[in-house]
Amino acid sequence: MKEAYVIGVDYGTESGRVVLVEVSTGKVVSTHVTMYKDGVIDKVLPNSSIKLDLDFALQNPNDYLLVLSSSVPEVINQSGIKPENVIGIGIDFTACTILPTDQNLVPLCLKQEFKNNPHAWVKLWKHHAAQEEANKMNELALDRGEEWIHRYGDKISSEWMIPKVWQILNESPDIFTEAEYFLEASDWITSKMTGAIKRNSCAAGYKGTWHKEKGYLSSEFLSLLDTRMTDIYSTKLSGDVVASGTKAGNLTSEMAELMGLPEGIAVATGIIDAHAGVPGTGVTDPGKMVMVMGTSTCHLLLSDREVYVAGISGVVEDGIIPGLYAYEAGQVAVGDIFAWFVDNHVPTYIIEEAKRLNKSIHQILEEKAEELRVGESGLIALDWHNGNRTPLVDSDLSGVLVGLTLSTRPEEVYRALLESTAFGTRTIVDTFRNNGIEINQLYACGGLPHRNKLLMQIYADVTNMEIKISDSTITPAIGAAMYGAVAAGKENGGFDTIDAAAKIMPKLKEDSYKPIKENVLIYEELYKEYIKLQDYFGRGENNVMKRLKQIKYSQIENHAVTLQK
Amino acid sequence: MKEAYVIGVDYGTESGRVVLVEVSTGKVVSTHVTMYKDGVIDKVLPNSSIKLDLDFALQNPNDYLLVLSSSVPEVINQSGIKPENVIGIGIDFTACTILPTDQNLVPLCLKQEFKNNPHAWVKLWKHHAAQEEANKMNELALDRGEEWIHRYGDKISSEWMIPKVWQILNESPDIFTEAEYFLEASDWITSKMTGAIKRNSCAAGYKGTWHKEKGYLSSEFLSLLDTRMTDIYSTKLSGDVVASGTKAGNLTSEMAELMGLPEGIAVATGIIDAHAGVPGTGVTDPGKMVMVMGTSTCHLLLSDREVYVAGISGVVEDGIIPGLYAYEAGQVAVGDIFAWFVDNHVPTYIIEEAKRLNKSIHQILEEKAEELRVGESGLIALDWHNGNRTPLVDSDLSGVLVGLTLSTRPEEVYRALLESTAFGTRTIVDTFRNNGIEINQLYACGGLPHRNKLLMQIYADVTNMEIKISDSTITPAIGAAMYGAVAAGKENGGFDTIDAAAKIMPKLKEDSYKPIKENVLIYEELYKEYIKLQDYFGRGENNVMKRLKQIKYSQIENHAVTLQK
């Protein structure tokens, strides 16, 4: 049999990355990145002078096609393989990233008559202008005792499908009316490839309030939002929801030509980017939690049980692995906190040392921080610089540092910040366990675990669990390619199940991080202090953070009013 | 009558400064500084290889004489006046800085047979090796319900007279036995000048537990420390205690020759350096508080009532102004906190801006911080980086920052630190007022008020009081010179009272800092938050700071033990 290859496409916020992977070994043969020409559109619509409101974040769907027409031929070309050896394609995508299309899947923003209307464009995941709609939905759902909201830790985000669609209806009813479909960008791209609409269970479940047994929100609830939304799931949001990675269809001749691939090969339904990291790390069993660690951390945990857990982002059956429930929890800022510290609070002598030794500032701080014994700095921090998602679901919380002295050095604060995020992850582990959901193994993928060894050792010590690390820095793309191999099936040189693919294709680093006993004991003490401070600042004992934010915003508003006068 | 001049000598930690002041105007005619040759002796005894224990801080008394023999002729020379126009001399000195002498006032460290014994040398104020003795004294005093300890906020410091003398007895009984006198350096230098021992009420009161009506500690209490100490006040600590600034005597011919001054002119008894800032700022009335602001802040408040106030450093009748009670309170770190921040937590872009504009980093941070509206940063800090003296008397407390976000900039943290020290001063103001002691006017002197306008405006806004600023950067030296003018008396061209001198000699800046109403309102809200956090972290609700320090020290000790093995 000929050697089989699969393509994984990882659609990120600024660019798309394509990988070509050898099925029998999981080896990444070639990889190529295409930057989106219009990037994140948050000031002015392209080729126009139309300004966007604050909190808008849009994209151009042509940029997604450009990734396919540029990077796919490029990886084939680089690898030297024959295109006919490619048996399947899988994609992962940011979510919830949505667009309105006509009945032929043509995005409305590409039509002359709508191109000047911001609501015709792709709303990127971090479009935050539908906050009012989200607030109303949360209030109504909790008032009515809607059961579905418990699956989302009792709070849905302004980033999600219904708030975004409802914003369009509120602010641009003509676009709402004109849209034949509102599609996740992941579903739009696979539908383009196959010519038929399939919606992936991952985005539908985590961002669209879909449930495998219970379906979507009730018409009654929707009608209370707006009567024009009552039947939206059978009209503008219609389409079968299938498990992520299921074969969506076969590559059309038109798209095959665009991508330089054989017509008719298997196309897998999409999956959210972080979530593709789970199979990409080789995880397909219950009890295993994967931390996708970057600017923020997404915690994904497989289980055979569905339980409502306060503060999680969501639980979805078939959300990642068919037949299993996948829980998502999160820390809003992780790498972002370290970057903020490095950008704003590192003195010249550290920066000069980094230059002299030709190392990054992070490296120098890590080396110095590593020489400290656990607890030696006398510092403890709360990692709430961008609020807290799990378990407190409170964006008005803020960061805290306790224990500063006149001898406190930058590397001590840096280490305290690393530790604070480890404590944050520990609260998530404890939250799941306290709800009876087993966690017996930790995995990590993403940029941070590759760059920062001290960080991972601290996580192992704080959680008292071994942590295995994905050997790839592009784990989600590997996961996407794996789904492509499953969509192709064993008979075409792929796999019948994602479990089978996971036994062959993903790679873990040889060295894992194991807890160091004496550190575990001291971190246990420090974690008690973290929890005490968490409860004090985060659970209503002292709402100082909220009051400080109120003062802050009222001062900024007063000033704005004064300036206008 | 000829124009009269006085000399003020300000003995600091590293050097002595001499000023020549015109009596009729208060004008500083000339000034000169002499660095101490041996400086602070904290590693090895001079001209020897004798190493000192940790926490030792000694000085060489010859350095004090060098200031007189170098700087006094120099200021006369610079000024062009005739020496015979100098009518008096006053001195201020660090305290408690003590030395053992023989019966002729010769320091034991200058004698061949004792020069290799560290305990024969001057113990500088910041000699901290008598902590064990101080702890035992505090425990015993509180156990026995000794009334005197309430005058010192229920805690005396290891820096003070009896702990230091007791340490000498414990560690070097031969020096204890050999010493005819233990003297404050301020009293040694005036005694040298006049040939007779007088002890100044300021150092005796604040550092030596002397009380104008009740005298010293009881023999019974002293005998419980060590029977060899029982009669120490009538032997090694004997000598009349007189109000600071009282005429101590007339300049001897020997010292007149050394200093290039006329024999027989008036010499005033000494005063502690910070305390000389009170008359130096023109303050001689009840209800006025002078903040001597530098690396730390000393708060000195005059009153006609004696009350025991928890957490103050001391209350002494005749402590500064004859006939009035002077309260001393303090913040352990003020300028030190800002310096720590600038040294350790300021990024390159600020430092480069400072270089480009030829300004200090403090200036750049101040300018940026000044553009912020009150409360706009959303930050609040506790200024306990070196513990808290008043009102909590707890050196195990540490600094806190609450409200950090990913957008928090260095100037916002800087401003929060400035504000935290203002809140710290406000707690001191409130502590006095809550004890029925009036404060109706604030004054400031020292380095900080001259350099940092924003800081002083914040203090005015936070306390809701006008603050007047001494026009001199060497206010204590002015105060010392004023005492010299009073010692000389009106009949010799000086003044009869310190009040009379204060009406003429000190100068205030023309511009004072007045509270800005809209800032006062918001700081009132923020101060409530400060108090809530103070009570939580500082009054036992959550002793996390103490536990963090315990962990810290046990980790450092464990490590030291491991290294020794």
Side-chain angles (χ1 to χ4, degrees), chain B residues 168-289:
Chain B
I168 295 173
L169 173 58
N170 286 330
E171 298 180 15
S172 187
D174 52 332
I175 294 291
F176 182 86
T177 306
E178 194 66 27
E180 183 74 15
Y181 299 112
F182 291 106
L183 288 168
E184 281 281 353
S186 52
D187 294 330
W188 178 71
I189 204 85
T190 55
S191 302
K192 280 290 282 187
M193 288 190 207
T194 63
I197 294 181
K198 289 271 166 63
R199 294 182 186 264
N200 74 82
S201 58
C202 183
Y206 289 105
K207 313 296 180 184
T209 67
W210 169 83
H211 186 277
K212 192 178 179 183
E213 314 293 329
K214 299 167 188 161
Y216 286 112
L217 306 186
S218 67
S219 301
E220 188 187 344
F221 182 83
L222 290 166
S223 70
L224 292 172
L225 303 183
D226 192 304
T227 50
R228 292 167 292 178
M229 302 252 285
T230 309
D231 61 353
I232 195 164
Y233 282 114
S234 58
T235 57
K236 296 174 195 291
L237 292 174
S238 63
D240 288 348
V241 178
V242 295
S244 284
T246 306
K247 182 172 166 182
N250 301 99
L251 192 63
T252 63
S253 62
E254 186 195 355
M255 290 300 285
E257 191 171 337
L258 182 85
M259 298 163 75
L261 290 178
E263 185 184 343
I265 60 170
V267 176
T269 52
I271 185 167
I272 301 174
D273 47 1
H275 299 57
V278 174
T281 306
V283 169
T284 57
D285 300 327
K288 295 182 174 173
M289 184 161 94

Side-chain angles (χ1 to χ4, degrees), chain A residues 348 351 374 399 404 529 547 555, chain B residues 348 351 399 404 529 547 555:
Chain A
T348 309
I351 291 164
V374 178
L404 294 162
E529 304 296 346
R547 291 189 298 268
Q555 282 295 74
Chain B
T348 309
I351 291 164
L404 295 162
E529 304 297 345
R547 291 189 297 268
Q555 282 293 74

Side-chain angles (χ1 to χ4, degrees), chain B residues 5 21 34 36 44 100 228 250 254 257 273 301 305 320 383 459 466 469 483 500 533:
Chain B
Y5 297 87
V21 184
T34 296
Y36 302 152
V44 179
R228 292 167 292 178
N250 301 99
E254 186 195 355
E257 191 171 337
D273 47 1
L301 171 62
R305 305 178 50 210
I320 300 172
D383 54 323
Y459 273 58
E466 185 184 359
I469 312 289
Y483 285 121
L533 292 173

Side-chain angles (χ1 to χ4, degrees), chain B residues 203-483:
Chain B
Y206 289 105
K207 313 296 180 184
T209 67
W210 169 83
H211 186 277
K212 192 178 179 183
E213 314 293 329
K214 299 167 188 161
Y216 286 112
L217 306 186
S218 67
S219 301
E220 188 187 344
F221 182 83
L222 290 166
S223 70
L224 292 172
L225 303 183
D226 192 304
T227 50
R228 292 167 292 178
M229 302 252 285
T230 309
D231 61 353
I232 195 164
Y233 282 114
S234 58
T235 57
K236 296 174 195 291
L237 292 174
S238 63
D240 288 348
V241 178
V242 295
S244 284
T246 306
K247 182 172 166 182
N250 301 99
L251 192 63
T252 63
S253 62
E254 186 195 355
M255 290 300 285
E257 191 171 337
L258 182 85
M259 298 163 75
L261 290 178
E263 185 184 343
I265 60 170
V267 176
T269 52
I271 185 167
I272 301 174
D273 47 1
H275 299 57
V278 174
T281 306
V283 169
T284 57
D285 300 327
K288 295 182 174 173
M289 184 161 94
V290 177
M291 302 181 286
V292 187
M293 300 176 70
T295 53
S296 60
T297 292
C298 184
H299 303 74
L300 298 161
L301 171 62
L302 300 178
S303 176
D304 43 23
R305 305 178 50 210
E306 183 184 45
V307 177
Y308 297 147
V309 181
I312 64 162
S313 308
V315 50
V316 177
E317 188 178 358
D318 289 359
I320 300 172
I321 304 296
L324 289 178
Y325 294 92
Y327 292 83
E328 179 186 342
Q331 285 175 274
V332 208
V334 179
D336 270 351
I337 296 180
F338 315 147
W340 161 80
F341 183 74
V342 164
D343 289 346
N344 290 288
H345 296 285
V346 173
T348 309
Y349 68 87
I350 301 265
I351 291 164
E352 279 172 1
E353 190 173 338
K355 273 188 201 153
R356 201 170 59 243
L357 301 174
N358 199 21
K359 292 180 174 177
S360 75
I361 297 168
H362 280 285
Q363 271 178 298
I364 296 290
L365 286 172
E366 183 185 353
E367 285 171 15
K368 289 179 185 290
E370 200 166 10
E371 285 168 24
L372 297 167
R373 293 174 286 292
V374 179
E376 186 187 334
S377 72
L379 291 171
I380 195 158
L382 294 179
D383 54 323
W384 300 344
H385 297 61
N386 199 16
N388 177 290
R389 171 73 216 196
T390 312
L392 302 173
V393 199
D394 192 338
S395 59
D396 285 335
L397 299 177
S398 52
V400 172
L401 257 177
V402 174
L404 295 162
T405 76
L406 296 175
S407 333
T408 300
R409 297 187 307 279
E411 64 268 26
E412 294 181 309
V413 178
Y414 185 73
R415 182 168 180 133
L417 293 174
L418 301 185
E419 291 169 345
S420 72
T421 68
F423 294 138
T425 281
R426 168 82 184 264
T427 65
I428 291 172
V429 171
D430 286 2
T431 298
F432 281 119
R433 286 181 173 161
N434 293 340
N435 281 277
I437 303 164
E438 197 185 11
I439 302 182
N440 46 44
Q441 182 69 57
L442 293 182
Y443 294 78
C445 66
L448 277 181
H450 279 259
R451 285 195 302 271
N452 200 323
K453 289 183 178 183
L454 174 62
L455 182 73
M456 297 320 299
Q457 185 59 52
I458 290 171
Y459 273 58
D461 292 341
V462 166
T463 59
N464 196 17
M465 294 174 80
E466 185 184 359
I467 305 178
K468 296 181 176 168
I469 312 289
S470 168
D471 195 36
S472 170
T473 54
I474 48 172
T475 313
I478 308 285
M482 289 165 66
Y483 285 121

Side-chain angles (χ1 to χ4, degrees), chain A residues 53 56 117-119 123 127 129-133 165-176 228:
Chain A
D53 284 345
F56 267 58
N117 187 329
H119 288 293
K123 285 187 164 56
H127 173 92
Q131 189 60 55
E132 213 171 302
E133 285 80 3
V165 168
W166 192 14
Q167 191 204 358
I168 295 173
L169 173 58
N170 285 331
E171 297 180 14
S172 187
D174 51 332
I175 295 291
F176 182 86
R228 293 167 292 178

Side-chain angles (χ1 to χ4, degrees), chain A residues 86-107:
Chain A
V86 176
I87 61 167
I89 310 166
I91 71 134
D92 69 83
F93 219 114
T94 64
C96 167
T97 296
I98 66 154
L99 70 167
T101 74
D102 70 9
Q103 59 190 356
N104 298 319
L105 301 181
V106 177

